[in-house]
Amino acid sequence: LQRGVIALRYCDDVLLLGRDWGAVTYARDAFEEIVAEYGYIAHPDKTSPAAIDLREEPITFLGKTIFADRIE
């Protein structure tokens, strides 16, 4: 998708991780364009345009909590 961005995917869930917000935003926009070509859109209730700093706030993905230094 974009250099420096990791895409974690499971079925129809995708999580984009990166150190640079601009690169993640670019990757998200590119991903949305690609899937739109096949008639799909990102679910607005499941899509977050906000940056999350995992050093300050963990997130939950697929039942696991992702911190900056570990996954529980």
Side-chain angles (χ1 to χ4, degrees), residues 21 48-53 57:
W21 177 240
S48 173
I52 297 171
D53 187 338
E57 176 185 357

Side-chain angles (χ1 to χ4, degrees), residues 3-71:
R3 186 179 179 130
V5 176
I6 297 170
L8 299 177
R9 180 179 172 269
Y10 179 78
C11 295
D12 64 345
D13 292 321
V14 178
L15 177 65
L16 299 174
L17 299 171
R19 295 182 188 271
D20 177 79
W21 177 240
V24 173
T25 300
Y26 181 88
R28 184 200 62 214
D29 293 347
F31 178 81
E32 288 180 354
E33 281 184 37
I34 292 166
V35 298
E37 291 178 15
Y38 296 94
Y40 297 101
I41 60 168
H43 193 290
D45 294 338
K46 291 184 164 186
T47 303
S48 173
I52 297 171
D53 187 338
L54 294 176
R55 294 170 297 186
E56 297 175 11
E57 176 185 357
I59 61 170
T60 300
F61 183 68
L62 301 175
K64 297 291 184 180
T65 303
I66 302 174
F67 297 85
D69 61 347
R70 67 190 186 284
I71 299 174

